[in-house]
Amino acid sequence: MATTADFKNGLVLKIDGKLQQIIEFQHVKPGKGPAFVRTKLKDVVSGKTIDKTFNAGVKVETATVDRRDMTYLYHDGTSYVLMDAKTFEQSELEPHLFGDSARFLLENMEVQVSFHEGEPLFAELPANVDLKIEHTDPGLQGDRSSGGTKPATLETGAEIQVPLFLETGNVVKVDTRDGSYLSRVNN
């Protein structure tokens, strides 16, 4: 059990028999009335997000989540095969556990997988990864109708928007949470 004072991003709560992960929270102390905590929760199984308000000091049941560092090995067509970094056991994970970030997976990439009672809940890639641009059209000087960006296909097959000055073969840093270009990596 935890109180609202113990809330932190990433904490998994058991609410109405469902596992809900705290995405963000805010303690609010209005001028009148009691304090409360406003939270945004994500259902671990379905991925649906909801807003929920808790009175300050309320006890909430927490779920025991075991986070393990694993290495991504390969995709066998239906699932992703990962190896536990400590025990060297291999596990097959369903694609939905990665969400949209699966398009940035590279072989031998370190991934953090969260388990509850032996069942995988979700997998998290590093916040950003360095990937090579496999193909992009040359940027034309003066072409600013697209806001100064152009599509680029990365070595994983994912397509993102990059600035016009980047070329095929450049390495870029990509945010795995939203798929946005962060910067060019100097080789």
Side-chain angles (χ1 to χ4, degrees):
M1 294 294 261
T3 65
T4 54
D6 301 323
F7 280 8
K8 61 183 179 212
N9 291 343
L11 182 68
V12 179
L13 307 174
K14 248 187 203 176
I15 300 173
D16 301 328
K18 293 183 178 178
L19 297 177
Q20 306 274 351
Q21 182 181 25
I22 297 176
I23 297 172
E24 55 186 59
F25 68 97
Q26 178 183 18
H27 289 277
V28 179
K29 186 158 179 17
K32 271 186 170 174
F36 59 91
V37 179
R38 190 178 293 134
T39 62
K40 184 177 277 193
L41 303 170
K42 177 180 163 189
D43 188 309
V44 172
V45 178
S46 70
K48 205 165 102 177
T49 59
I50 60 167
D51 293 324
K52 188 163 178 69
T53 303
F54 297 92
N55 290 329
V58 166
K59 289 187 184 270
V60 182
E61 187 178 356
T62 58
T64 306
V65 176
D66 175 29
R67 296 179 194 265
R68 296 185 206 156
D69 290 326
M70 301 186 88
T71 304
Y72 168 66
L73 300 177
Y74 60 91
H75 184 255
D76 69 1
T78 57
S79 59
Y80 295 101
V81 179
L82 290 98
M83 179 180 66
D84 190 305
K86 290 183 182 155
T87 65
F88 302 108
E89 283 182 33
Q90 290 188 8
S91 302
E92 289 187 17
L93 299 181
E94 298 296 317
H96 74 273
L97 297 176
F98 288 90
D100 193 36
S101 64
R103 60 194 181 126
F104 302 114
L105 270 174
L106 269 179
E107 289 182 6
N108 299 319
M109 182 180 282
E110 291 298 316
V111 177
Q112 192 174 66
V113 182
S114 297
F115 291 86
H116 174 66
E117 296 175 357
E119 289 295 314
L121 297 175
F122 53 89
E124 297 172 302
L125 272 66
N128 52 60
V129 293
D130 296 346
L131 297 171
K132 182 177 171 187
I133 296 176
E134 287 293 313
H135 174 76
T136 188
D137 293 328
L140 299 174
Q141 191 63 27
D143 177 19
R144 296 288 185 258
S145 63
S146 61
T149 63
K150 60 183 178 178
T153 305
L154 304 175
E155 61 186 303
T156 61
E159 191 171 288
I160 65 166
Q161 291 293 318
V162 298
L164 292 172
F165 63 83
L166 292 173
E167 302 168 354
T168 299
N170 287 148
V171 178
V172 294
K173 189 176 291 287
V174 179
D175 188 327
T176 59
R177 296 165 293 199
D178 61 8
S180 63
Y181 163 84
L182 294 173
S183 66
R184 177 168 57 178
V185 178
N186 293 330
N187 300 18

